[in-house]
Amino acid sequence: MNLLEELISNNLSDYPELTEYRDVVLEFISSHEKKRPDMCIEGCKALIEGLSKFICFDLSIDNNNLTKWKDLKVAQKFKEAIEILKLENYEEEFTKLNGQLVFKLGEIRNERGEISHGQAYPKNSYSDENFAKFIGLWTEGLCYFLISKYISCKQTTEDEDTDIYSTEQFEEFDCYLDSLYEDIEFISYSKALKEQDGPQYELLMDDYYKNQ
């Protein structure tokens, strides 16, 4: 999962919500590939499912209804995420075809998984290390694409939001903030807020111009 871990690590400053996918889920997958292949596969299913929900929750306010997700299977959640990412042409076609494998992954987890549902031993069938590695590599590629497209969508949205105000308006608002608050370790308050809490900066800016 090195490629996926690198992608997440390189974007944590802008998307800290991805931290636990790297530190918890990816670590779980990697640590069980050899000793407990079925737990590794279970982790892959959890990663796809978790990222699908994260994308839906973050990019669409209509999906923040947790009740809606209780009865959805992992393949359905994946499909929802693909639709929200608004893929086109071969990207959309190829990614949707992966939905069949996501569905099959859910079946493997239900039959061979050892954690989420509890398991009666001995199991009817077991996965080996090679199969777990195969699913892990496929999961990494799929999730790499999902996160990459998610980041692109977020950046496009942010660019559209930024276009609402002119350069002069940004400068005016920054001066207003800096007149209210002292610098933070030699960095202007407006710059520090913009870098550390962009949504809060945007909210304050909207309020500033609405009240003028």
Side-chain angles (χ1 to χ4, degrees):
M1 293 281 173
N2 293 336
L3 188 65
L4 185 55
E5 182 177 345
E6 181 181 5
L7 174 66
I8 293 175
S9 298
N10 290 340
N11 289 278
L12 280 183
S13 59
D14 294 320
Y15 310 103
E17 303 90 345
L18 296 174
T19 301
E20 290 184 272
Y21 291 105
R22 181 195 65 180
D23 295 348
V24 179
V25 188
L26 293 188
E27 173 63 25
F28 180 90
I29 292 171
S30 298
S31 64
H32 289 89
E33 183 177 271
K34 293 183 178 180
K35 292 184 178 180
R36 306 297 301 188
D38 283 319
M39 291 176 66
C40 169
I41 293 171
E42 195 166 3
C44 291
K45 180 262 184 185
L47 178 61
I48 295 172
E49 184 171 17
L51 283 175
S52 296
K53 290 167 67 176
F54 167 71
I55 290 169
C56 290
F57 290 173
D58 194 58
L59 295 181
S60 175
I61 192 170
D62 295 332
N63 282 288
N64 282 302
N65 179 2
L66 295 180
T67 303
K68 168 184 176 180
W69 297 87
K70 283 185 177 180
D71 298 323
L72 291 184
K73 303 296 184 183
V74 59
Q76 293 171 303
K77 295 170 185 175
F78 174 75
K79 181 181 178 182
E80 293 268 354
I82 294 305
E83 291 177 353
I84 287 174
L85 290 174
K86 298 179 179 178
L87 305 178
E88 297 179 351
N89 303 321
Y90 281 124
E91 287 185 341
E92 178 183 22
E93 182 180 350
F94 192 84
T95 308
K96 283 187 174 180
L97 285 173
N98 275 263
Q100 299 175 30
L101 295 177
V102 174
F103 178 82
K104 183 58 64 175
L105 182 61
E107 289 188 342
I108 295 170
R109 175 264 197 174
N110 289 339
E111 181 177 335
R112 298 179 176 177
E114 301 184 23
I115 299 299
S116 299
H117 289 169
Q119 185 62 260
Y121 293 98
K123 297 187 294 184
N124 293 327
S125 61
Y126 291 80
S127 302
D128 63 19
E129 179 186 344
N130 290 327
F131 188 51
K133 185 181 291 292
F134 167 56
I135 289 183
L137 289 170
W138 166 75
T139 299
E140 180 178 28
L142 181 61
C143 291
Y144 185 96
F145 181 71
L146 290 179
I147 293 177
S148 297
K149 297 304 293 186
Y150 162 78
I151 291 173
S152 296
C153 286
K154 291 289 287 185
Q155 291 174 342
T156 299
T157 301
E158 290 169 1
D159 290 342
E160 291 173 349
D161 292 341
T162 300
D163 291 341
I164 295 175
Y165 299 106
S166 66
T167 301
E168 291 76 14
Q169 285 176 308
F170 274 103
E171 292 175 351
E172 176 187 335
F173 178 65
D174 288 346
C175 289
Y176 166 73
L177 280 182
D178 294 338
S179 69
L180 296 178
Y181 303 98
E182 296 181 357
D183 292 353
I184 301 175
E185 297 182 354
F186 305 106
I187 300 176
S188 66
Y189 179 84
S190 60
K191 183 178 180 180
L193 181 63
K194 193 183 304 182
E195 293 179 352
Q196 299 297 323
D197 194 350
Q200 179 63 17
Y201 174 88
E202 294 171 4
L203 180 62
L204 291 174
M205 189 173 185
D206 289 339
D207 290 340
Y208 174 76
Y209 284 108
K210 285 178 182 177
N211 293 328
Q212 284 191 345

